Amino acid sequence: MTTTDSRLDAPPATRARAGRWIDDWRPEDPEFWEGGGRQVARRNLIWSIFAEHLGFSVWLIWSVSSAFLLQMGFSFTPQQLFVLVALPNLVGSLLRLPYTFAVPKFGGRNWTMISAALLLIPTLLFAIAVQDSSTPYWVFCVIAATAGFGGGNFASSMANINFFYPAARKGAALGLNAAGGNAGVAVIQLLLPVIIGGAGIFGLVKASEGGLHLQTAGFVYAGLAVLATIAAYLWMDNLTGATSKPREQLRVVRKPHTWIMAFLYIGTFGSFIGYSAAMPLLIKLNFWVPEPAPLGTGIYFAYFAFLGAAIGSVTRPFGGWLADKYGGAKVTLGAFTGMVVFTLAVLVTLMQLTPNPTADPAIASDNQSLFPWFLAFFLFIFASTGIGNGSTYKMIPAIWRREAETTTEAGTPERAAAITSSTKQASAALGVIGAIGAMGGFLIPIAFSSPWVDNPLSATKGAFMVFTAYYVVCALVTYAVYLRRPAAAAKLAMAGV
């Protein structure tokens, strides 16, 4: 394994670029892998997870901070708050494609440094804006949109780690990388109320009596962005072989499987990030309690908002492990089946709620009695999305590798070249599919804030009806394309993926 640490020592292919580059990387070679490749891959995975985790936290900082804005003196409607929650997801999804292309262009280590440093923009702007209650709503929208920088980190991180691991270990490695990033959602939703003094942790840590300080969260995460930038500089590597031209990468958009998997990923990851973003406001608007209360005396959103994202993050690597063991398509079908069942259960619970709980404490009490059921069913949805996220990301490289294997003979130079090309195409596909899938994170909060519905509860029930129908279609597509035995008329079917 050859590492290039300077311009002077670099071979011609890398001499024009500064930074630490590894020129010889062969993860599919068992001797190479056991002779040091595993340790290098693990080190890059660890710091990739750290940077991606931070990116997710910044991406979803508005999901929980928006619920505190009214207490800070801002006069925003529920619809406006849901838009603030949705905007980072829209921008983040749009950035995922260029972030994916940035890895071959600049190198995984170099781009991790750049993307981590970019997080200073949304964090510092956030810290400044929330200190002035006269800040106009449109300014908040612009600042919330910049939080989308954190959403782009996922695509570049996944594309980078995909190059480091052999095919047999991609499911687990990508699952861990994604889960570590996804956990950033749960962490920001758990710790932000504590950082700003708005709530303790389940009553174990006392809430601050000095008021809310939302700006503190912005400054803390700005500091962490600097730390992630330094860590990437010191302990990550670029791969010389992880190069391709954007035009070559964009070839994946011509493949039907790219769009089929993107459709499925909207259902899994789009649901995970969309529900994570909306959950704090859903709890606050439908299961009301006026002020932070000790556990057991009321439903305070800050005590529970993080649980869904935590469950979805934990189950994602489990989904990757199951996919490695049983096949990604089978696990994905099971995940969508679970999402259908538990979304219907949530919908049944919502049908029993009374709108506008803030208007009457008695109504609030009745709604709160149903909260344990709502929370339990919702957490099962999150568990299903996590498993589906892990299994779909196992399917993507497997699909491209299967195509390479079916068009070449084993042991030939053509097979080796096809496998190398399939890895690059799979990394590009991960970015495209991740970008499209993340759009669900924008669409779900927007569905909950429908301006054509009189109250938030009615909008929520209507949204869950639509989501259930979508999951049913996703399950049918998974079975028809990837599990049903291919017939002559079904050219896309690839049984066993």
Side-chain angles (χ1 to χ4, degrees), residues 7 10 25 61 64 89 134 208 246 258 263 285 302 318 324 328 330 333 337 358-359 369 461 485 490 492:
R7 294 187 184 187
W25 187 253
I61 194 171
V64 62
N89 294 334
S134 65
S208 170
T258 301
F263 180 82
L285 294 173
F318 181 59
D324 285 339
K330 293 179 181 178
L333 179 60
T337 301
T358 56
S369 67
K461 290 188 288 189
R485 290 298 175 183
L492 289 179

Side-chain angles (χ1 to χ4, degrees), residues 302-318:
Y303 291 148
F304 304 99
F306 77 97
L307 289 175
I311 294 294
S313 301
V314 169
T315 56
R316 179 157 190 161
F318 181 59

